[in-house]
Amino acid sequence: GAPSPAALRVRRLREDGLARLAGAVGGGLFHLVGGSPLPFERIARELAGHYLLAFHATEQDRDGRVHRIEVKLRGHRATLRARHAFVLPGPEARPTSLAARLAGLLRAPAVETELPLRVATYTYQEPGQAKVRVVVSAETEPASDGPSTPTLAFVLLDERDVIAATATHEAPSGAYAFSALVAPGDYTLKVAGVDALGRRGTVERPFGARLMQAGPVRVSDLMIADVPGRPGESLRPAVARPVQEQVLAYLELYADDGVVLRATKVRIDVAETEAGSTLLTMPATLQARDARWSIARAVLPVNALPAGRYFVRADVIVSGESARRIARPFTVGARVNARR
């Protein structure tokens, strides 16, 4: 009946893996005792207000050696989590060609975060074919200390890890989108990027390349894009970069019965959450491409919204009844007043 003398050591061993995993991604390990809500309250408090610190490595740092990191805070009103050291491979350890470096990043199991990358996928029906068209959009954050034109590489893998599509492109604007024709199914998208400063970034995400059903109507993904400057100009999907004045919501509808498609309407609105109250709304303009294919568009003026995160929602209404709601997040950026 006596407590084990090794109980504390056993507990530390049991928690060591979780603590390492949480620390590797900048998080922390919290202990839940009974039904206490304190750990969840602390997590919610940390998510509500936090700052992320980063630094740019110099060429002198890329020597394959261990470099210590020391971060200090004034006061005691914040919690600090930081790595204690970093190691970057030396020039002799890096592949000589950009193509080899990108290929190595795509094959590596570890995630690179020097170059922030964000990606999004959108699925549409390819007219006259059983395949679907997947649009992949990626964005990077520009460096604050000079030009950093990134080169982005994409690989699309099917369920058997067979390459379904690839692309490589230099993106001076930091954003690039491409499309691929694939069979409906589950895929894994891998994206790697290297910029002129040597910063590296990778993203890997699974997704399903399928249309959604809205009663008798099939629906594509909801795309948020910049408003084209000229008629006929290709859309530029917005992944996460903030918008300031207006945003375009784009949706495609398909049906085997043209009568059903003509009786379908789409209402677009904006809310703070997926299920939140509507902040602004407007009907989408539907353009018939043929008897079984329509495109829904709506330009949303968001310049009156405070800076922050919102959702664009599309309600597909078939014969007067709401058949499907699709939502996608976006961010409104702070507006800067120009002065002379």
Side-chain angles (χ1 to χ4, degrees):
S4 169
L8 183 59
R9 184 169 63 89
V10 171
R11 177 180 174 181
R12 288 175 178 172
L13 287 173
R14 187 170 60 243
E15 296 175 351
D16 181 66
L18 291 174
R20 289 175 180 267
L21 178 62
V25 295
L29 179 63
F30 304 99
H31 299 279
L32 179 63
V33 179
S36 172
L38 293 179
F40 300 102
E41 291 175 358
R42 180 172 177 181
I43 292 171
R45 195 163 57 246
E46 291 196 12
L47 291 175
H50 66 275
Y51 295 90
L52 178 65
L53 304 180
F55 67 93
H56 292 307
T58 65
E59 286 302 316
Q60 289 76 17
D61 295 325
R62 301 179 185 274
D63 54 9
R65 298 179 180 178
V66 177
H67 297 269
R68 291 190 58 80
I69 300 176
E70 185 177 4
V71 184
K72 295 182 180 180
L73 292 176
R74 293 182 178 177
H76 303 281
R77 300 186 62 186
T79 299
L80 172 67
R81 298 191 182 95
R83 297 181 182 182
H84 298 294
F86 71 93
V87 179
L88 294 174
E92 69 283 351
R94 286 181 284 167
T96 55
S97 70
L98 178 59
R101 293 167 65 185
L102 288 169
L105 288 173
L106 290 171
R107 288 193 297 265
V111 176
E112 296 286 348
T113 58
E114 278 187 294
L115 179 65
L117 285 175
R118 298 183 179 92
V119 299
T121 58
Y122 311 88
T123 302
Y124 302 92
Q125 181 67 56
E126 183 68 11
Q129 297 193 32
K131 292 186 175 182
V132 294
R133 182 167 296 280
V134 174
V135 177
V136 178
S137 182
E139 293 175 355
T140 69
E141 292 184 8
S144 59
D145 52 357
S148 60
T149 299
T151 300
L152 304 176
F154 306 82
V155 172
L156 204 59
L157 302 173
D158 65 12
E159 295 176 276
R160 299 170 297 170
D161 283 338
V162 176
I163 296 177
T166 61
T168 302
H169 193 81
E170 188 176 277
S173 66
Y176 179 67
F178 81 101
S179 65
L181 204 58
V182 299
D186 294 320
Y187 292 86
T188 298
L189 171 66
K190 294 185 177 182
V191 182
V194 177
D195 69 2
L197 301 176
R199 298 186 302 165
R200 301 174 298 177
T202 55
V203 173
E204 179 176 333
R205 59 164 293 185
F207 71 98
R210 300 180 182 87
L211 299 176
M212 291 171 282
Q213 204 69 35
V217 178
R218 298 181 300 279
V219 186
S220 73
D221 285 325
L222 174 63
M223 178 188 291
I224 298 174
D226 298 328
V227 179
R230 300 184 302 274
E233 184 179 347
S234 299
L235 297 182
R236 294 180 53 194
V239 179
R241 64 181 184 274
V243 298
Q244 292 190 351
E245 300 298 332
Q246 55 187 8
V247 66
L248 172 69
Y250 177 94
L251 191 72
E252 294 190 3
L253 310 170
Y254 321 91
D256 297 327
D257 187 344
V259 176
V260 172
L261 194 59
R262 289 193 293 272
T264 301
K265 298 181 180 180
V266 177
R267 182 177 62 245
I268 305 292
D269 64 29
V270 174
E272 290 186 332
T273 64
E274 286 193 61
S277 57
T278 300
L279 300 177
L280 63 93
T281 184
M282 63 176 51
T285 301
L286 272 72
Q287 177 185 5
R289 302 302 297 268
D290 58 38
R292 302 180 180 182
W293 175 25
S294 289
I295 293 176
R297 295 172 180 246
V299 176
L300 301 167
V302 297
N303 56 324
L305 296 176
R309 178 180 169 90
Y310 299 90
F311 281 83
V312 169
R313 304 182 302 196
D315 274 320
V316 181
I317 303 168
V318 181
S319 300
E321 299 289 334
S322 179
R324 186 92 188 201
R325 169 176 282 187
I326 308 167
R328 187 170 287 269
F330 74 103
T331 303
V332 174
R335 280 163 288 279
V336 178
N337 296 323
R339 295 180 179 180
R340 288 188 178 181

